[in-house]
Amino acid sequence: MLSKWTRCADDVRIVAHRMNPVLKNSTSRFGPSLIQRSRAAGWDAWAGRVVAGVAAGVGISTVLVFAFLCLEAWPALVGSFSGDPSPTTLSQGDLDRVPADELRKYLGLSPAEFSTKTREQLRLLAEVRAETLAEERGQETSSGSPADWRHLILPRSGHGNDPAAYLWQPSGGVPRFNLVPLWWGSLKVTWIALLVAVPLAIAAALYVSQVASRGLRAWLKPIIALIAGVPSVVMGFVALTVLAPAIQRVFGTPFPLNGMVAGFAVGLAIVPVIFSLAEDALSAVPRDWSQAALALGATPWQAVRTVVLPAAAPGIGSAMLLGMAQALGETMIVMMASGNAPTLAWSLWDPVRTVPVTLALELGEAPRGGPHYRVLFLLGFLLLCLSVVLHGAAGWIRRRHAQVRGEAEP
Amino acid sequence: MIRKRIHVLFPLLTGTAAWGLVAVMLSLILGGTLAVWSQLSEASLLGGRGTSSGPLDLGGARLSALLVGTAARTLLMSLAVIPAGILTAVYLAEYAPAGARTPRILRRLIEVLAAVPSVIFGLFGLGFFVGVLGGGLDRWAGASISPVWGRPALLWASWTLALMTLPVVVVATEAALRSVPRDLRLAATALGATRLQVLVRVLLPHALPGMATGVILAIGRASGEVVPLLFTGATVATQGSLALNERFPDLAYQVFVWATQSPDPEASRPGLLVGVWVLVFLSLMLNVAAAILRSRVAPVDADRL
C-alpha cells in the first residue's frame, strides 16, 4: 500500500518536473485564467484535427495503392482489353494532309529522327507501317488481343506448325503473355526456399527456446534475427559469387544460375522471419508444461514433441505463412541468382523466372497503357492479393490462437 | 536405445542449426571484411593505379557520390515518413475513440501495407508518383515535349520508400505510446494539463526511445533496398545528380549493376566488394543500434514501475 502511494507521488513529481512551464503559467491562486484555458483548448482542437487529418491521409494512401494497381490492371483483369485503338492506316494521299506531329507518332519516330527524314523516306516508312498494321489487325481479329484471359492462361499455337505452348515473350513481333511459366517459376522458388528455411528455422528456434540457457538465448536470438537486416542485393551477390559456383562444383549442373540456387538463397533470407516468430511461439508455451512432462519421465525430445510443439503449432504455422509470403515477393535475390528464363521445365536445376522478377525486369520498357504494361500490372495485382491473403491468414491464425488461450491481442 | 539416441541427437541437431545460422552471419561479415582488406592491400583503392583520380574512386565511380545519393534519398524519405508515421500512431494510440470502427480499419490498412512486397511499391511509384503526379504536374505547368517531373526522380523514389517503411514507424511508435504508464498520464491530467500538453510534455518524451527504434529500423530497411528504386529513380554514380526531379546515384543500385551487368568485371570488382561491405555494415550498425535501444528501454521501465 505504502509503495503504491510513493510510486504515485513519484509519478506526480516526474510529471510536475516535465511540465514546469505549464505549472508556472497556470497555478495562479484561482487556477488558470479563462483566456489561458480557451487558448489551450483551441490548440488542442487544432492538434486533434491535424493528427486525424494525417491519419486519414495515411489510410487513404494505403487504399490508393490497391485502387491504383487494380485500376491499371482493370482492362486485363476483366478481359476487355482491346489494345490502343489501332490507328487508321494512312494512304499515300493522306501523307500531306495529316499534321506533322500526328504523322510522327503514327510512324513511331522521335522528333529528332523525324526532322532528319526526307519526304521519300517518310513515304516508305508509311508503307511499312501500313503493312504491319494490316498484319496486326489480322492477328487480332483471328484470335483476340494478346492480353485476353484465354491467352494469359491457355497455351497458344505459334506460326505455322509450331505446337501450342505456354510462352512468355513480351517483345516478339506477336507478343505472348502467358502467365503460367512465371507462376510456375515462383512456385518452384518458393517451395525450395520453404524446404530449406522451415527445418532450419524451426530447429534453431527449438534450440534457442528449449535447449539454450537464458543468457545464451539473449545473444543468439538477436544475432540470428540480424540476417533479416542484410540487404537483399547483398544476399543476391553472395548467391551469385559464392553459392552458385559452389553448387555447380558439387552437383555439376549445366547452368550456374538456376532455380535451386535462387531458392536456396531466398530460403536463407527468410530463415530469420520464420525463426523469430516460431521462437516467440515456442517461448510463449508455459515453461511449467514442459517441466511437468520432464518430471513424468519424458526425454527433452518427447517433451517437445508431445507438449511444446502442439501448443506452439498455430504460431509456427503462421510464421511459415509469413515466410512463404516473403519468399513469393522476393525480387532482388531471385533476379540475381535464378538465370531469369521463363520456362516451364520440371527440373529444379533449370533457370527460372518468377513473377516479381518479371515486373522488375520489364516494367521499365513497357510503354504506358499498352498490353504489356497492363499485363504486368495484372501480375502485380495478383501478387499483391496473394501476399495480402497469406499475411491475413497468418494474422487470423495468430489472433484466433490468442483468443483460444485467453490472451488479449497486444 | 533409439530413445536414448534421440535424447542426444535433439540438442545436437537443433544446436547445429542455430549455430550454423550464427556462422552464416559471422562469415558474411568476416568474409566481406577480408575481401575488402585484400583489395585495400592491393592499393587500388588508395589511388595506387595510375588511372584512379582519388581515394574513393572505384572503377570509374566515386563512392562518395553514391553515399551522398543514398543519404539524400534516405533523408527525404525520413522527412516524409517520420511526421506521417508518428502522427498516425498518435491518432491510433491517443486520439481515436476507443473501440470505434475508424481506428480498427486504419490499423488493418497499415497491416495490409506491411504485407505489400517491395516490387509492388516500385510499380505504384512508377505508375502513380511518376505517371499520375509527375505527369499531371507537367501537364498543369504546360511543360514542353521533355518531361520535367513526369520521369523517375529523387523525390518520387523517396516517397515510394516512405510509403514502404510507413508501417514500421507506425507500429513501433504506437507500441511505444501504449507502453507509457497510465499513472503518468493520469498525473499529468490531474495537474491540469490539456491533451496536447500531456502528449508533448509527457507521452512523446517517454515514448522517444521506442519511436527512435522504429525510425532506425525503417532507415535500415530502406537504405539497402533497390527494387522499388529500379524504375523510380536510382541510377549509377556517373550519371545521377541530386536535383529533386532527376535520377540520383545510389549505392545499392550501383552494387546491383556492378554485380550483374558490369562490362568489365575485373575493373568493377574492388568497387563491388567495398559497396557490399558498406551496405552490410550500414544495415548491421542500424539494426544493432535499434536492438540496443530497445533492450535498454524496456528493463528501465520495468524497474521503475
Side-chain angles (χ1 to χ4, degrees):
Chain A
M1 192 64 197
L2 189 66
S3 72
K4 184 168 179 199
W5 284 115
T6 49
R7 210 179 63 193
C8 198
D10 198 26
D11 282 340
V12 171
R13 242 194 343 269
I14 292 173
V15 172
H17 176 70
R18 287 204 181 141
M19 304 197 38
N20 204 6
V22 185
L23 290 179
K24 255 187 242 153
N25 292 339
S26 62
T27 42
S28 69
R29 209 164 146 201
F30 302 103
S33 73
L34 276 177
I35 296 175
Q36 275 173 337
R37 259 195 227 171
S38 68
R39 197 182 294 156
W43 278 112
D44 234 32
W46 271 109
R49 265 172 233 154
V50 169
V51 165
V54 170
V58 165
I60 289 170
S61 36
T62 309
V63 174
L64 194 67
V65 173
F66 269 82
F68 184 76
L69 271 151
C70 186
L71 203 72
E72 292 292 88
W74 190 252
L77 201 62
V78 298
S80 71
F81 192 82
S82 57
D84 288 324
S86 48
T88 46
T89 317
L90 296 182
S91 65
Q92 289 300 323
D94 294 338
L95 222 54
D96 301 316
R97 281 193 294 110
V98 174
D101 201 40
E102 222 166 277
L103 183 64
R104 181 179 67 75
K105 275 190 193 139
Y106 170 74
L107 296 174
L109 295 173
S110 73
E113 283 173 331
F114 185 70
S115 56
T116 57
K117 296 273 186 285
T118 63
R119 198 175 171 291
E120 185 59 19
Q121 279 172 321
L122 286 179
R123 196 184 58 76
L124 288 174
L125 278 172
E127 262 174 33
V128 174
R129 181 85 178 118
E131 271 170 32
T132 40
L133 274 181
E135 198 175 309
E136 272 173 25
R137 209 163 291 143
Q139 289 277 351
E140 284 199 9
T141 44
S142 68
S143 55
S145 142
D148 201 71
W149 270 109
R150 215 153 31 107
H151 300 311
L152 293 182
I153 292 183
L154 297 176
R156 183 174 176 186
S157 58
H159 289 295
N161 294 330
D162 289 351
Y166 299 93
L167 286 178
W168 175 265
Q169 280 172 355
S171 55
V174 186
R176 304 292 172 78
F177 301 117
N178 201 297
L179 307 186
V180 177
L182 305 180
W183 284 107
W184 176 242
S186 272
L187 198 70
K188 276 206 289 196
V189 170
T190 306
W191 277 111
I192 298 169
L194 281 177
L195 283 180
V196 171
V198 166
L200 203 60
I202 290 180
L206 278 174
Y207 180 79
V208 171
S209 69
Q210 306 295 317
V211 182
S213 66
R214 259 185 106 116
L216 196 57
R217 175 171 183 248
W219 278 102
L220 275 179
K221 200 179 172 190
I223 290 181
I224 295 179
L226 268 186
I227 299 179
V230 176
S232 56
V233 64
V234 171
M235 228 27 149
F237 171 73
V238 171
L240 195 68
T241 53
V242 181
L243 212 55
I247 286 184
Q248 195 177 24
R249 206 172 309 132
V250 173
F251 296 96
T253 52
F255 305 101
L257 299 180
N258 53 51
M260 203 68 178
V261 175
F264 202 86
V266 173
L268 208 58
I270 64 170
V271 158
V273 178
I274 305 181
F275 165 80
S276 297
L277 293 163
E279 207 276 339
D280 286 345
L282 287 167
S283 298
V285 178
R287 202 83 187 171
D288 299 357
W289 295 10
S290 53
Q291 299 279 343
L294 291 174
L296 287 170
T299 63
W301 166 241
Q302 282 174 324
V304 163
R305 190 172 56 91
T306 54
V307 177
V308 180
L309 274 182
I316 294 176
S318 112
M320 275 156 43
L321 284 177
L322 287 185
M324 188 174 171
Q326 203 191 332
L328 203 63
E330 182 58 63
T331 313
M332 215 19 146
I333 301 175
V334 186
M335 189 145 79
M336 291 168 83
S338 71
N340 295 329
T343 59
L344 200 60
W346 281 101
S347 165
L348 299 177
W349 301 102
D350 276 5
V352 296
R353 156 103 60 116
T354 65
V355 173
V357 169
T358 309
L359 297 177
L361 284 175
E362 292 174 10
L363 196 68
E365 304 148 13
R368 175 177 293 271
H372 190 191
Y373 181 84
R374 299 282 181 209
V375 173
L376 287 179
F377 266 85
L378 174 70
L379 276 174
F381 185 66
L382 294 177
L383 181 70
L384 175 63
C385 290
L386 201 58
S387 187
V388 168
V389 164
L390 283 174
H391 272 258
W396 182 74
I397 292 177
R398 212 169 39 231
R399 267 190 284 272
R400 225 188 90 153
H401 182 52
Q403 264 176 13
V404 168
R405 296 207 354 201
E407 296 161 0
E409 192 188 341
Chain B
M1 185 61 200
I2 287 175
R3 193 170 290 179
K4 223 172 204 171
R5 207 173 287 160
I6 291 176
H7 178 76
V8 179
L9 274 181
F10 169 62
L12 202 71
L13 284 179
T14 54
T16 313
W19 287 107
L21 288 174
V22 173
V24 165
M25 193 63 217
L26 289 182
S27 62
L28 206 63
I29 299 167
L30 287 180
T33 311
L34 282 179
V36 168
W37 188 251
S38 69
Q39 292 294 333
L40 271 176
S41 58
E42 276 178 26
S44 58
L45 268 184
L46 299 170
R49 284 185 193 161
T51 49
S52 59
S53 58
L56 292 174
D57 189 273
L58 306 164
R62 294 185 65 81
L63 187 64
S64 51
L66 292 170
L67 284 175
V68 169
T70 302
R73 63 121 153 125
T74 313
L75 187 74
L76 271 176
M77 176 208 84
S78 308
L79 285 182
V81 77
I82 292 176
I86 287 180
L87 287 182
T88 307
V90 164
Y91 172 77
L92 285 175
E94 301 298 326
Y95 281 84
R101 190 183 289 168
T102 334
R104 240 189 5 241
I105 293 175
L106 187 59
R107 214 167 274 132
R108 275 297 147 78
L109 281 177
I110 286 168
E111 273 176 35
V112 164
L113 197 63
V116 178
S118 58
V119 68
I120 302 296
F121 285 109
L123 237 68
F124 179 75
L126 177 74
F128 187 77
F129 288 142
V130 176
V132 177
L133 273 190
L137 213 60
D138 277 350
R139 231 166 294 133
W140 177 72
S144 52
I145 302 164
S146 62
V148 181
W149 288 99
R151 57 182 175 172
L154 177 59
L155 185 66
W156 308 137
S158 310
W159 283 8
T160 309
L161 285 176
L163 203 58
M164 188 183 84
T165 50
L166 191 66
V168 183
V169 179
V170 174
V171 169
T173 308
E174 199 196 342
L177 282 172
R178 287 196 186 279
S179 76
V180 177
R182 220 179 123 206
D183 295 358
L184 280 180
R185 201 177 308 227
L186 292 179
T189 316
L191 284 168
T194 63
R195 211 172 186 182
L196 184 62
Q197 286 167 334
V198 174
L199 180 71
V200 173
R201 301 237 165 103
V202 178
L203 297 180
L204 287 183
H206 202 97
L208 195 62
M211 298 194 305
T213 309
V215 170
I216 291 175
L217 283 179
I219 290 176
R221 190 176 162 202
S223 62
E225 189 65 73
V226 192
V227 179
L229 306 178
L230 283 177
F231 14 79
T232 51
T235 184
V236 290
T238 45
Q239 292 174 8
S241 81
L242 287 181
L244 275 185
N245 65 342
E246 293 204 35
R247 285 172 172 269
F248 60 98
D250 186 75
L251 182 61
Y253 181 74
Q254 178 79 65
V255 164
F256 166 64
V257 171
W258 269 334
T260 54
Q261 40 201 285
S262 172
D264 182 4
E266 272 309 307
S268 60
R269 195 167 172 74
L272 180 57
L273 285 174
V274 172
V276 165
W277 186 81
V278 170
L279 283 179
V280 168
F281 263 73
L282 203 63
S283 82
L284 205 67
M285 265 171 10
L286 289 169
N287 278 288
V288 168
I292 289 175
L293 207 56
R294 200 164 23 189
S295 68
R296 281 280 157 78
V297 175
V300 172
D301 271 356
D303 283 349
R304 210 187 63 73
L305 294 169

